[in-house]
Amino acid sequence: MAKKTAGGNAAFHNFMNDFADVEDPLERKRLALEAIDNASFGWYHVRTIMIGGVGFLTDAYDIFSVNLGVSYLAYVFWAGNIPSSTETLIKVSTSVGTVIGQLGFGYLADAMGRKAIYGIELMIMIGATILQCTAAESPAISFPAILTVYRILMGIGIGADYPLSSIITSEFAITKWRGAIMGAVFANQGWGQFLAGVVAMVCVSAYKGPLNVTSSEGCHGECIKACDQIWRIIIGFGAVPGMVALYFRLTIPESPRYSLTEDAELNADNEKNSDAIMNDSNINIDYKNQDAVEREREISQDASSQQVEDLTPPKASFKDFCHHFGQWKYGKILLGTAGSWFMLDVAYYGLGLNTASILESIGFAKNDNIYESLYHQAAGNLILVCAGTIPGYWFTVATVDTIGRKPIQIMGFIILTALFCAIGFGYDKIGSGGRLGLYIVAQFFQNFGPNTTTFIVPGECYPTRYRSTAHGMSAASGKVGAILAQSCIGTLKDHGCEAKGLPKGCWLNHVMEIFALFMMLGIFTSLCIPETKRKTLEQLAEELHGEVDVTKQNYEKKYKEESDINGSSLIEERASNMV
């Protein structure tokens, strides 16, 4: 019996231990993967979605709650008018940390294993969130600087969650509904944004008395105290969901797809199996002398070892990574996943992190009363999330395994191109109501479109040895797009407004036109991605990256040997027992 592996819980079952009585590691892996891929969808998968999804609920809450929190920070530290450079710094800092986390932890998950680091990202997020809530200004410390450092640290944890949750969910999901399961995990981002709006509304309502003053009167005394407490509550609440899921993440088993890809036991046991086969063959060879038998045994061992070495993919290394993806047939896939995510996030985060100011620009949240203004910002955020974001996510979940990933992504980019063109070029003609309506539709098709599929496809289309690294690179390119949107394109919404005596956001129409250009470019990068629906990860690795499924080869080889030795009746009997 093989040695049992550590880990396993109600959300991530240890399938390898179910077949610990199978000595051959390749056969043990095949049976474990078959059990994962062919299982019926059930409560086990719902629990997997919940534990994986909690991370993305926390991610989205932490990222987008700052959109609401900045409005309160402005009254506490800047008398209601936060400098645009400071606002941009606070918002962009999370994305900077996210890039670091995606690249760093993406590599570590392939180098050290999924189990070794899953859960660390939640601990980083929880710790950084608590630190943010306790941050304050002092003569020796700049508040924006210390808050930025904490948000970069939190961003590292958020970034780590992208490749880790994606590939772990992918490697534990059933083939038939893998896209839906991964999409449901990612869809928790919508609930995170929803929760941020709810917490903000509850807090504003609870502090209505101190906040019920006009902007002309100014926010002083109790009003400042109320705003200071509200932003800390909003930011701090993001630590709660992560604490719930931490135990389950720390106790997952190692992914069967990773464990035996990296396990040195594989080659050792293959050599042992070769010895056993030769020993069985030698029993019936009575006409050879001992020297001849020994020579035949050595030749067979060398041939068997060479065959396994030829079938096994190269060991992961920087040199092999560059060589593999340096070939266009493989590199274009990375270009497709990374390029599409970059194009999408320019608009997605450019809009999402500026929701409050966009709502004001289109006339929804403008009000001289501080309470009314803050309440309408939170309410407007909830309207956008409930009307566009959440339905968009779940439309993808419902259709991604039937329509396919690639058609949904290309369709989304085409529709978003048209929508941003309509908002940008028809900005003054369609009015504030029309702009709000089109903005909601754009939110819907971002999520029933490339925002979800750019997360799903990289978790499926790469070989096991580089799945996390490539997903992290793809996700990081998206966050580079987010940084570009926030630091460069997003700030253009106020370009020349003050000099011309116009209100803030006077250049928003041209920003929408720029977003339309990036959506159009996303159409072309999407042509480079493969369709991955309802294919096993091993099948995709074989079709897209030329990797041979050694478990399948081993299984077929055993059947052939049994057929030669015992006849077809034994093969049929054993095959029926393995179904």
Side-chain angles (χ1 to χ4, degrees):
M1 178 177 287
K3 182 180 178 181
K4 289 191 175 184
T5 57
N9 53 53
F12 295 96
H13 181 68
N14 194 327
F15 289 92
M16 291 298 292
N17 286 349
D18 291 346
F19 302 99
D21 59 316
V22 179
E23 292 292 339
D24 182 359
L26 287 174
E27 181 65 4
R28 190 162 66 248
K29 177 182 179 181
R30 189 192 69 80
L31 292 170
L33 297 186
E34 190 176 77
I36 293 172
D37 292 337
N38 299 331
S40 299
F41 184 85
W43 282 109
Y44 163 75
H45 298 98
V46 174
R47 291 191 293 270
T48 301
I49 290 169
M50 292 173 64
I51 299 305
V54 162
F56 282 99
L57 185 150
T58 305
D59 296 348
Y61 184 96
D62 289 338
I63 290 173
F64 291 98
S65 62
V66 73
N67 175 44
L68 299 169
V70 161
S71 300
Y72 304 94
L73 286 170
Y75 289 110
V76 177
F77 297 101
W78 294 281
N81 292 305
I82 183 172
S84 59
S85 59
T86 303
E87 181 181 1
T88 300
L89 177 65
I90 292 173
K91 292 180 177 179
V92 169
S93 58
T94 309
S95 295
V96 173
T98 303
V99 171
I100 298 171
Q102 287 165 337
L103 293 175
F105 279 79
Y107 164 75
L108 289 175
D110 282 335
M112 300 173 59
R114 287 58 162 142
K115 175 179 172 57
I117 58 176
Y118 201 42
I120 295 176
E121 76 293 336
L122 272 186
M123 290 190 284
I124 293 174
M125 283 189 277
I126 292 168
T129 300
I130 294 172
L131 288 173
Q132 288 178 77
C133 295
T134 59
E137 192 171 35
S138 77
I141 299 175
S142 167
F143 174 76
I146 194 67
L147 185 63
T148 297
V149 171
Y150 290 155
R151 291 199 67 82
I152 290 175
L153 181 62
M154 183 183 71
I156 293 173
I158 291 173
D161 198 35
Y162 275 74
L164 289 174
S165 289
S166 174
I167 64 167
I168 289 172
T169 302
S170 172
E171 291 176 355
F172 278 94
I174 58 176
T175 302
K176 185 177 182 181
W177 302 113
R178 186 178 59 237
I181 293 172
M182 295 178 70
V185 168
F186 194 64
N188 279 273
Q189 278 199 338
W191 297 119
Q193 295 177 50
F194 174 81
L195 184 61
V198 169
V199 172
M201 283 191 70
V202 170
C203 289
V204 171
S205 299
Y207 286 89
K208 181 177 180 180
L211 296 175
N212 198 15
V213 295
T214 62
S215 299
S216 57
E217 295 173 350
C219 185
H220 306 287
E222 290 298 314
C223 176
I224 292 178
K225 180 180 178 181
C227 289
D228 196 29
Q229 291 175 340
I230 289 173
W231 81 261
R232 295 177 193 277
I233 293 171
I234 292 175
I235 298 295
F237 196 83
V240 176
M243 293 179 180
V244 176
L246 186 58
Y247 165 78
F248 291 95
R249 292 199 173 193
L250 291 173
T251 57
I252 69 163
E254 185 55 86
S255 163
R257 290 182 159 93
Y258 178 86
S259 60
L260 281 175
T261 299
E262 298 295 313
D263 200 342
E265 176 192 18
L266 182 63
N267 288 333
D269 280 11
N270 270 290
E271 290 180 7
K272 185 170 71 175
N273 290 341
S274 298
D275 290 347
I277 292 170
M278 279 306 303
N279 285 335
D280 291 342
S281 300
N282 290 338
I283 290 173
N284 297 321
I285 305 175
D286 54 2
Y287 56 89
K288 294 184 178 180
N289 59 39
Q290 187 64 33
D291 292 339
V293 171
E294 189 62 32
R295 283 196 300 273
E296 185 174 347
R297 174 189 173 93
E298 290 174 359
I299 293 170
S300 180
Q301 276 188 338
D302 292 341
S304 178
S305 298
Q306 183 63 43
Q307 184 181 25
V308 171
E309 185 178 345
D310 291 342
L311 293 177
T312 303
K315 184 175 177 61
S317 66
F318 179 76
K319 180 179 179 181
D320 178 66
F321 182 91
C322 294
H323 175 265
H324 183 76
F325 289 101
Q327 302 173 67
W328 172 246
K329 61 181 178 179
Y330 307 135
K332 71 176 182 180
I333 302 174
L334 186 58
L335 174 65
T337 57
S340 298
W341 213 327
F342 174 85
M343 302 302 172
L344 180 275
D345 273 8
V346 169
Y348 183 76
Y349 282 90
L351 293 178
L353 291 177
N354 289 299
T355 299
S357 58
I358 289 173
L359 287 171
E360 287 184 4
S361 299
I362 61 181
F364 185 81
K366 285 184 178 178
N367 201 297
D368 188 53
N369 184 280
I370 293 177
Y371 165 76
E372 295 290 339
S373 177
L374 294 174
Y375 185 86
H376 286 158
Q377 283 182 19
N381 184 76
L382 281 177
I383 290 171
L384 294 175
V385 171
C386 293
T389 302
I390 292 176
Y393 278 121
W394 291 99
F395 263 74
T396 302
V397 172
T399 60
V400 72
D401 284 307
T402 51
I403 296 176
R405 287 73 155 147
K406 192 171 183 176
I408 289 176
Q409 182 163 314
I410 293 175
M411 172 206 69
F413 273 125
I414 292 172
I415 294 175
L416 288 169
T417 302
L419 288 171
F420 284 125
C421 283
I423 297 173
F425 292 105
Y427 193 84
D428 296 321
K429 296 180 181 178
I430 59 179
S432 61
R435 291 194 293 269
L436 180 60
L438 289 178
Y439 184 60
I440 290 173
V441 176
Q443 291 278 349
F444 176 83
F445 280 105
Q446 279 181 332
N447 296 296
F448 180 40
N451 187 44
T452 309
T453 55
T454 51
F455 170 80
I456 294 173
V457 174
E460 301 175 308
C461 68
Y462 295 111
T464 300
R465 70 187 193 277
Y466 293 130
R467 185 170 293 128
S468 182
T469 302
H471 192 288
M473 293 177 66
S474 300
S477 70
K479 289 302 172 287
V480 171
I483 294 170
L484 175 66
Q486 279 299 108
S487 60
C488 300
I489 301 173
T491 57
L492 291 175
K493 70 181 188 298
D494 300 324
H495 177 68
C497 298
E498 186 176 354
K500 297 177 183 178
L502 298 173
K504 285 187 174 182
C506 68
W507 223 68
L508 186 60
N509 59 325
H510 298 302
V511 171
M512 295 297 177
E513 293 164 8
I514 295 172
F515 288 162
L517 173 62
F518 280 93
M519 296 302 96
M520 185 178 68
L521 293 175
I523 299 171
F524 298 102
T525 56
S526 298
L527 298 176
C528 295
I529 68 169
E531 180 52 66
T532 58
K533 70 173 183 178
R534 294 190 171 169
K535 295 180 180 179
T536 68
L537 298 182
E538 286 68 38
Q539 184 180 354
L540 290 169
E542 189 168 352
E543 292 179 0
L544 302 176
H545 298 275
E547 288 193 2
V548 176
D549 184 354
V550 291
T551 64
K552 180 180 176 182
Q553 293 288 331
N554 181 66
Y555 183 59
E556 292 176 349
K557 180 174 178 289
K558 283 192 170 184
Y559 267 2
K560 185 176 185 301
E561 289 173 352
E562 290 185 0
S563 176
D564 293 339
I565 298 170
N566 300 314
S568 60
S569 59
L570 180 59
I571 300 174
E572 293 170 0
E573 178 186 348
R574 188 168 170 191
S576 64
N577 291 334
M578 288 186 170
V579 173

